[in-house]
Amino acid sequence: MSKTFEKLQPLLDKSMAFQTARSLFEWDDQTTAPFEAAEYTAKVVGIISDEYMKSMINDDVRKLLKKLQDDKEQEELTDTEKAIVKELSKAYEQLESIPPEEYRAFSELTSVSSRKWSKAKKDNCFEDFAPYLKKIIDFKKKFAGYRVKGDKKPYEVLLGDYEECFMIKELDAFFDLVKAEIVPLLKEVAKKAETIDKSYNYLNYDIEKQKEFSKYLAGYVGFDFNRGVIAESAHPFTLQLHNHDVRITNRFIENNLESAMFSIIHESGHAMYEMNIDDAITQTLVGGGASMGMHESQSRFFENIIGRSNEFWAPIYDKLVNTYPENLSNITLDHFIKGINKAAPNLIRTEADELSYCIHVIIRYEIEKMIFNDEVTVDELPKVWNQKYQEYMGITPSTDTEGILQDTHWSWGEFGYFPSYAIGTAVASQIFACMQEKMPIDDYLKVGNLTPIREYLRDNIHKFGAVRNTNEILKQVCGEEFKADYYVKYLKEKYKKLYDL
Amino acid sequence: MSKTFEKLQPLLDKSMAFQTARSLFEWDDQTTAPFEAAEYTAKVVGIISDEYMKSMINDDVRKLLKKLQDDKEQEELTDTEKAIVKELSKAYEQLESIPPEEYRAFSELTSVSSRKWSKAKKDNCFEDFAPYLKKIIDFKKKFAGYRVKGDKKPYEVLLGDYEECFMIKELDAFFDLVKAEIVPLLKEVAKKAETIDKSYNYLNYDIEKQKEFSKYLAGYVGFDFNRGVIAESAHPFTLQLHNHDVRITNRFIENNLESAMFSIIHESGHAMYEMNIDDAITQTLVGGGASMGMHESQSRFFENIIGRSNEFWAPIYDKLVNTYPENLSNITLDHFIKGINKAAPNLIRTEADELSYCIHVIIRYEIEKMIFNDEVTVDELPKVWNQKYQEYMGITPSTDTEGILQDTHWSWGEFGYFPSYAIGTAVASQIFACMQEKMPIDDYLKVGNLTPIREYLRDNIHKFGAVRNTNEILKQVCGEEFKADYYVKYLKEKYKKLYDL
């Protein structure tokens, strides 16, 4: 180990400890803490967050980082150490460029604005949220301006925070292809989908049985209960303290069978990624998944590509029917598979089917690009939003609550985040295509043996954490960088077969 | 606010934040964390504990503390601030006297020795634990030696860490009275108790129903679910993050009705103390209960004095019978009250009845005194232990597992702790006697109205946190300091009436 890096290690450990504590408070807040705790606990979390910032950004770390960025020092570093230095450089670039008082003002703004958004959504009143959104956008433009370099656009600075391999050029090409191929396909599918009777999904499903079956599904896809726990929260999420403590939540809706089942498979996909990260890099700056997009690729690989396939359900569908014979005994596996893949234009991203999902993302991407190119004002956003839904989906939201106000992300200042959902989905298809060349996935699924699939992902993707970026991983696994064609091909083949088109 | 104290405040807040984080990790470890998490999480907790120590003991705090200890500065302080300075002084006295390398060696020892104790208890092999116990005792003697002042004995230094008002003189007087009065009473009661058929308690009690009834009992005695949560753990305990977030755990045994019921009342007693502490002092050094003994007084007040009375159960016993009609429909309230107060000599402290409990504590106290007076070697301890059980209880443990190895406390180096259990029990009786002069407790209980009882405790004890010590509280509430007579009188009256003696 390089002497300089050796000096850096305990400083990074300290900051990891504060970050882990913050994560635990976050988990606790979402799953356990009593109603009245928030105000007093906020004081604690505020102090720990300050300490976290101080432990990351300070003269000692700065000096060591400067030294480690030097070419000669770099030669002494292992690949992992290099990746850690790179991550740390990114954090410095991101945090140091912003004057602390502006950062604080922004943090205060978002802690208010997220509540304002929540109320505005409830009241269906975009005007109440608009002034806050304006301020957030002004801050984000300013912050991006501080960091913009070379011929990069401000919006690309934000995109890069979530997925460094995908700038406007790559995303435009990706989304143009999707628009050209998937928008017409969705319309074709929608017509046929009307004939699928999915009323069985909205019958009464006992919550206790749902919990039990969800837990079974998590274990079935490979969630390791020795390294993880499942709890309940208002919205399902995954959170890790380290690779031996990865937690997921689920929520249960009595009149919706699919909701909890596919949420648990989705979160298990995220969780297995974190559980499989190598012991040697957990609790370091590269000890999490490679990027938002890569993470989403793993959750969607399990949720959609594997989890909505006939082969996945073939060995376990009987168990599901036997859990709810009163509702499912007349529903054949074939009918069920059509049901879980029923697709149609729709307004709400989080409830979207696999086929239309990407279109929701494209609409947000196009609007964010317009915002950061100064091509639209905040007040015009609802109109633009509705026009785009009409153009791509053929439907228009009747309220802003089911339109521009539906997502929380912007209220936190998270611009540039949405594309990673689409990237993840597309990356999953590309990985799936490469894996099919290497192993008989369908045959494994049919006999309920997911181990080879999991092990392949572990050994080729998961264990590296964030040492490699998305394109480096894809190059290693598939022999080529990201290519959107796989995604389009996957969707077309799947849906044409399912719907006899 | 004094200028010096104003400077101290943010430093204390920081250390409070780290302490709260440690508490949350502790809670999480006991209730939630997955099996394999411990090793990696320990690294995080280790770093946060170090930061906690550094935030407490450092030159900045030391200088401000020195200044605040000055008479003139003291004049400017409020009572709360004075109490905080006093607590901080205690912490400095306790921690600064021990050389850091010795403290670290001791911490490492106890983290091993508690596991060694656990294994030795399982294997019924005191010899395996003895070498560790010797080292722990040597450390504790050395540490007490550093801190001993005036005519205090080393053991009193340790006693003072848990309960400053009770030194050897006070404890000897207290325990001599108990031995003289309660040891013979227990023998008398035991003979009669044999006729009480308590087999109903060991029938099958559905765990889900136990959970529901426990939750009901917690709410019934006054646990505020807006400020607290209940979870499960191997051993019931109470833990608070602050006065708006107080957590208790319970455990459920299928063949024991009483276990979970009285545990939840006990822990609710602890929890209400913490919940009722004033907002103005929560998250400060005096923001918890006054002492171990005072805390135990509140848990035992609810568990034993209130919770095992006929009047408490009169309005709710039907509910219990209706929950388990198959087991309890033939058990009258009178029979049930005799059952929950069945007393007899016994070997295990944590399973002891109200009457014999104190004798368990006395045995431990006498042995600890011998240890720190160099009157016994570690190897002789099992023999001494068994002799004392024979002398006071009339029975001898057949194994060390149910003898000297039963408690975990010594494996953590917690000498001087046990007496606080007995002090708590006796303090509870004294408070009960004073309250009876002021309000018709029995009448309130009979109609299921616990509010005036709770409010009295809140306004006269709880809200002050650790601003006042045990004797100051008693003087305020009862007009006199601790007096063991109340306890002896309470037990004698209760058991003579129950058993027609």
Side-chain angles (χ1 to χ4, degrees):
Chain A
M1 195 187 261
S2 113
K3 281 236 167 100
T4 315
F5 197 89
E6 218 167 298
K7 281 184 203 154
L8 182 64
Q9 190 63 59
L11 306 179
L12 294 182
D13 283 345
K14 190 167 138 182
S15 126
M16 173 280 293
F18 293 143
Q19 178 53 32
T20 308
R22 293 211 300 180
S23 298
L24 185 60
F25 274 104
E26 171 69 18
W27 166 265
D28 190 73
D29 178 53
Q30 300 285 331
T31 63
T32 309
F35 179 69
E36 289 187 22
E39 184 190 334
Y40 292 82
T41 302
K43 187 175 170 180
V44 175
V45 174
I47 292 171
I48 290 177
S49 296
D50 276 355
E51 292 301 318
Y52 167 69
M53 281 297 286
K54 282 190 227 163
S55 71
M56 278 286 277
I57 308 291
N58 61 61
D59 287 343
D60 294 338
V61 174
R62 189 179 293 112
K63 266 183 219 157
L64 292 167
L65 176 61
K66 274 258 158 68
K67 234 175 144 180
L68 286 163
Q69 286 167 332
D70 180 88
D71 283 349
K72 226 170 145 196
E73 285 272 355
Q74 285 273 316
E75 279 170 28
E76 282 187 52
L77 300 180
T78 65
D79 283 354
T80 300
E81 289 165 356
K82 270 184 209 157
I84 291 171
V85 170
K86 191 178 154 195
E87 282 301 316
L88 189 60
S89 305
K90 268 197 248 174
Y92 264 75
E93 186 267 324
Q94 193 173 342
L95 293 168
E96 283 218 298
S97 60
I98 301 167
E101 62 282 4
E102 287 181 20
Y103 189 80
R104 200 168 309 122
F106 177 67
S107 300
E108 280 164 22
L109 172 63
T110 53
S111 78
V112 176
S113 60
S114 61
R115 286 201 301 277
K116 293 286 171 187
W117 162 78
S118 180
K119 187 154 188 329
K121 181 178 175 181
K122 213 173 125 200
D123 300 344
N124 185 36
C125 186
F126 180 73
E127 289 70 33
D128 287 352
F129 179 52
Y132 296 91
L133 186 56
K134 276 178 204 166
K135 282 187 206 165
I136 291 170
I137 289 171
D138 287 344
F139 267 117
K140 293 300 278 188
K141 283 182 179 172
K142 206 183 202 180
F143 292 172
Y146 291 143
R147 298 168 59 201
V148 86
K149 268 178 207 155
D151 56 355
K152 261 200 182 161
K153 299 208 165 185
Y155 183 43
E156 293 185 314
V157 173
L158 307 180
L159 287 169
D161 285 344
Y162 303 105
E163 192 60 68
E164 64 177 26
C165 307
F166 295 79
M167 295 295 110
I168 288 176
K169 190 184 138 205
E170 289 80 14
L171 289 172
D172 279 350
F174 170 23
F175 291 150
D176 283 348
L177 183 66
V178 172
K179 279 199 283 186
E181 301 272 0
I182 304 304
V183 168
L185 177 62
L186 176 64
K187 281 176 189 159
E188 239 184 309
V189 163
K191 264 180 257 158
K192 278 225 164 180
E194 280 169 22
T195 62
I196 301 170
D197 178 11
K198 205 176 156 173
S199 58
Y200 70 86
N201 187 60
Y202 307 104
L203 299 173
N204 205 48
Y205 290 90
D206 177 67
I207 299 274
E208 284 310 313
K209 284 186 186 172
Q210 284 200 49
K211 283 186 192 173
E212 211 175 300
F213 199 83
S214 283
K215 202 178 161 189
Y216 166 76
L217 278 176
Y220 187 76
V221 297
F223 184 87
D224 180 350
F225 286 93
N226 280 326
R227 290 180 164 214
V229 293
I230 302 181
E232 278 179 73
S233 66
H235 298 284
F237 65 91
T238 300
L239 174 149
Q240 69 282 354
L241 301 187
H242 43 68
N243 70 343
H244 282 72
D245 189 335
V246 183
R247 297 151 182 233
I248 59 182
T249 67
N250 204 356
R251 81 170 154 175
F252 300 94
I253 304 167
E254 196 151 16
N255 296 308
N256 192 332
L257 170 63
E258 283 179 16
S259 173
M261 291 201 307
F262 287 98
S263 284
I264 203 79
I265 301 177
H266 181 96
E267 301 306 331
S268 296
H270 281 305
M272 288 187 281
Y273 194 167
E274 292 295 329
M275 285 172 171
N276 285 337
I277 282 170
D278 206 274
D279 283 355
I281 57 171
T282 189
Q283 300 188 308
T284 74
L285 284 173
V286 294
S291 67
M292 297 306 310
M294 270 313 297
H295 237 301
E296 206 61 19
S297 82
Q298 298 308 290
S299 55
R300 283 167 193 263
F301 180 90
F302 280 97
E303 178 195 349
N304 290 334
I305 299 184
I306 301 286
R308 292 185 197 268
S309 72
N310 189 301
E311 293 76 12
F312 176 84
W313 284 99
I316 61 173
Y317 184 61
D318 277 355
K319 188 178 165 73
L320 182 66
V321 174
N322 291 335
T323 306
Y324 310 105
E326 67 284 12
N327 296 341
L328 298 179
S329 54
N330 289 325
I331 309 297
T332 62
L333 172 59
D334 199 49
H335 185 166
F336 176 74
I337 297 300
K338 281 210 167 65
I340 61 177
N341 287 294
K342 188 170 176 174
N346 56 80
L347 294 171
I348 309 294
R349 180 184 59 84
T350 56
E351 293 166 13
D353 55 78
E354 191 185 5
L355 190 59
S356 62
Y357 189 85
C358 214
I359 300 171
H360 292 276
V361 173
I362 292 173
I363 292 171
R364 285 152 182 78
Y365 166 72
E366 292 182 347
I367 291 176
E368 290 187 350
K369 219 169 46 165
M370 289 171 76
I371 290 172
F372 286 89
N373 281 343
D374 297 317
E375 293 166 4
V376 66
T377 68
V378 166
D379 297 327
E380 292 164 345
L381 288 179
K383 209 183 79 190
V384 175
W385 181 283
N386 292 354
Q387 281 168 348
K388 287 197 181 282
Y389 267 85
Q390 187 57 48
E391 184 183 347
Y392 300 145
M393 292 275 199
I395 48 179
T396 301
S398 58
T399 65
D400 287 338
T401 297
E402 55 177 24
I404 186 124
L405 284 173
Q406 69 181 262
D407 293 309
T408 182
H409 303 58
W410 291 346
S411 80
W412 290 104
E414 284 177 352
F415 290 87
Y417 185 104
F418 285 116
S420 59
Y421 289 126
I423 294 164
T425 306
V427 165
S429 324
Q430 184 167 349
I431 291 168
F432 181 59
C434 307
M435 283 177 72
Q436 277 181 313
E437 305 279 311
K438 287 168 189 164
M439 63 172 72
I441 294 188
D442 287 353
D443 294 343
Y444 287 143
L445 290 177
K446 274 185 212 157
V447 295
N449 176 16
L450 278 72
T451 309
I453 300 170
R454 245 184 351 253
E455 287 180 347
Y456 181 87
L457 295 171
R458 180 191 68 201
D459 297 340
N460 292 281
I461 299 175
H462 299 172
K463 72 172 184 184
F464 300 109
V467 172
R468 301 175 178 178
N469 71 25
T470 303
N471 268 334
E472 285 164 356
I473 290 168
L474 286 174
K475 218 164 166 190
Q476 184 72 21
V477 172
C478 303
E480 59 183 340
E481 295 193 345
F482 177 77
K483 230 172 135 180
D485 309 54
Y486 290 102
Y487 178 49
V488 171
K489 187 163 173 266
Y490 159 77
L491 285 177
K492 282 171 88 171
E493 275 179 11
K494 173 170 176 173
Y495 281 88
K496 289 203 165 175
K497 193 177 157 204
L498 257 171
Y499 285 78
D500 286 324
L501 295 173
Chain B
M1 193 189 261
S2 112
K3 282 236 166 100
T4 315
F5 197 89
E6 218 168 299
K7 281 183 203 153
L8 183 63
Q9 191 62 61
L11 306 179
L12 294 182
D13 283 347
K14 191 167 138 180
S15 125
M16 172 282 293
F18 293 144
Q19 178 53 31
T20 308
R22 292 211 301 182
S23 298
L24 185 60
F25 275 105
E26 171 68 19
W27 166 265
D28 190 75
D29 178 52
Q30 301 285 331
T31 62
T32 309
F35 180 70
E36 289 186 21
E39 185 190 334
Y40 291 82
T41 303
K43 187 175 171 183
V44 175
V45 174
I47 292 170
I48 289 176
S49 296
D50 276 355
E51 292 300 317
Y52 167 69
M53 283 296 288
K54 281 190 227 163
S55 71
M56 278 287 276
I57 308 292
N58 61 62
D59 288 343
D60 294 338
V61 175
R62 188 180 294 112
K63 266 182 218 159
L64 293 168
L65 175 62
K66 273 257 157 69
K67 234 175 144 181
L68 286 164
Q69 286 167 333
D70 180 86
D71 283 348
K72 231 174 142 193
E73 285 272 356
Q74 286 274 315
E75 278 168 31
E76 282 187 55
L77 299 180
T78 64
D79 284 354
T80 301
E81 289 165 357
K82 271 184 208 155
I84 290 171
V85 171
K86 192 178 152 195
E87 282 300 316
L88 188 61
S89 305
K90 270 197 247 171
Y92 263 76
E93 186 268 320
Q94 193 172 341
L95 293 168
E96 283 218 297
S97 60
I98 300 167
E101 62 283 4
E102 287 181 21
Y103 189 81
R104 199 166 311 120
F106 176 68
S107 300
E108 280 165 21
L109 172 63
T110 51
S111 78
V112 176
S113 60
S114 61
R115 285 201 302 275
K116 293 286 172 187
W117 162 77
S118 180
K119 186 155 188 331
K121 180 177 176 180
K122 214 174 124 198
D123 299 345
N124 185 35
C125 186
F126 180 73
E127 290 70 31
D128 286 353
F129 178 52
Y132 295 91
L133 185 56
K134 276 178 203 165
K135 281 187 207 165
I136 290 170
I137 290 171
D138 288 344
F139 266 117
K140 292 301 276 189
K141 283 182 177 170
K142 206 185 208 179
F143 293 171
Y146 291 142
R147 299 167 57 200
V148 85
K149 267 180 208 153
D151 55 357
K152 262 201 182 162
K153 301 208 164 185
Y155 183 43
E156 293 184 313
V157 173
L158 307 180
L159 287 169
D161 286 343
Y162 302 106
E163 192 60 69
E164 65 176 26
C165 307
F166 295 80
M167 293 296 109
I168 288 175
K169 189 182 138 207
E170 289 80 14
L171 289 173
D172 279 351
F174 170 24
F175 290 150
D176 283 347
L177 183 67
V178 172
K179 278 198 284 185
E181 301 272 1
I182 304 304
V183 167
L185 177 62
L186 177 63
K187 282 176 188 158
E188 239 184 309
V189 163
K191 263 180 257 158
K192 277 226 166 179
E194 279 169 22
T195 62
I196 300 169
D197 178 9
K198 205 176 157 173
S199 56
Y200 70 85
N201 188 59
Y202 307 104
L203 300 173
N204 205 48
Y205 290 90
D206 177 66
I207 299 274
E208 283 310 313
K209 284 185 185 172
Q210 284 200 48
K211 283 186 191 174
E212 213 175 298
F213 199 82
S214 283
K215 203 178 160 189
Y216 166 75
L217 278 176
Y220 186 76
V221 298
F223 183 88
D224 181 350
F225 287 93
N226 280 326
R227 289 179 166 215
V229 293
I230 302 181
E232 277 180 72
S233 66
H235 298 282
F237 66 91
T238 301
L239 173 150
Q240 70 282 353
L241 301 187
H242 43 69
N243 70 343
H244 282 72
D245 189 337
V246 184
R247 296 152 183 232
I248 59 182
T249 67
N250 204 355
R251 81 170 152 176
F252 300 93
I253 304 168
E254 195 152 19
N255 296 309
N256 192 332
L257 171 63
E258 283 179 16
S259 174
M261 290 201 307
F262 288 97
S263 284
I264 203 79
I265 300 177
H266 181 96
E267 301 306 331
S268 295
H270 282 304
M272 287 186 282
Y273 195 167
E274 293 294 330
M275 285 172 173
N276 285 337
I277 283 170
D278 206 275
D279 284 354
I281 58 171
T282 191
Q283 300 188 308
T284 75
L285 283 173
V286 294
S291 67
M292 298 305 311
M294 270 313 298
H295 237 300
E296 205 63 18
S297 82
Q298 298 308 291
S299 55
R300 283 167 193 263
F301 180 90
F302 280 96
E303 178 195 349
N304 290 335
I305 299 185
I306 300 284
R308 293 184 197 269
S309 72
N310 189 301
E311 293 77 11
F312 176 84
W313 284 99
I316 61 172
Y317 184 62
D318 277 355
K319 189 180 165 71
L320 183 65
V321 173
N322 291 335
T323 306
Y324 310 105
E326 67 285 11
N327 297 340
L328 297 178
S329 53
N330 290 326
I331 308 297
T332 62
L333 172 60
D334 200 51
H335 185 166
F336 176 74
I337 297 299
K338 282 209 166 68
I340 60 177
N341 287 293
K342 188 170 176 174
N346 56 78
L347 294 170
I348 308 294
R349 181 185 59 84
T350 55
E351 294 166 13
D353 53 79
E354 190 185 4
L355 190 59
S356 63
Y357 189 86
C358 213
I359 300 171
H360 291 277
V361 172
I362 293 173
I363 292 171
R364 285 151 183 78
Y365 166 71
E366 292 183 348
I367 291 176
E368 290 186 352
K369 218 168 49 166
M370 290 170 75
I371 290 172
F372 285 89
N373 282 343
D374 296 319
E375 292 166 7
V376 66
T377 67
V378 166
D379 298 327
E380 291 164 346
L381 288 179
K383 210 183 78 192
V384 175
W385 181 283
N386 292 354
Q387 281 168 348
K388 287 196 181 283
Y389 266 84
Q390 187 57 48
E391 185 184 347
Y392 300 144
M393 292 275 199
I395 48 178
T396 301
S398 58
T399 64
D400 288 338
T401 298
E402 54 177 24
I404 185 125
L405 284 173
Q406 69 182 265
D407 293 309
T408 181
H409 303 57
W410 291 347
S411 78
W412 291 102
E414 284 179 352
F415 290 89
Y417 185 105
F418 286 117
S420 60
Y421 289 127
I423 294 164
T425 306
V427 165
S429 324
Q430 185 167 348
I431 291 168
F432 181 58
C434 308
M435 282 176 73
Q436 277 181 314
E437 307 278 311
K438 287 167 189 163
M439 62 172 72
I441 294 188
D442 286 354
D443 294 344
Y444 287 143
L445 290 177
K446 274 183 210 156
V447 295
N449 176 17
L450 277 73
T451 309
I453 302 170
R454 248 187 346 256
E455 286 180 349
Y456 181 87
L457 295 170
R458 180 192 67 199
D459 296 340
N460 291 281
I461 299 175
H462 298 173
K463 71 171 183 184
F464 301 109
V467 172
R468 300 173 177 180
N469 71 25
T470 304
N471 269 333
E472 286 165 354
I473 290 167
L474 286 174
K475 220 166 165 190
Q476 183 72 21
V477 173
C478 303
E480 59 183 341
E481 295 193 345
F482 177 77
K483 230 171 132 180
D485 308 55
Y486 290 103
Y487 177 49
V488 170
K489 187 163 173 267
Y490 160 77
L491 285 177
K492 281 171 89 171
E493 276 178 12
K494 172 170 177 173
Y495 281 88
K496 289 203 164 173
K497 192 178 156 204
L498 257 172
Y499 284 80
D500 287 322
L501 294 173

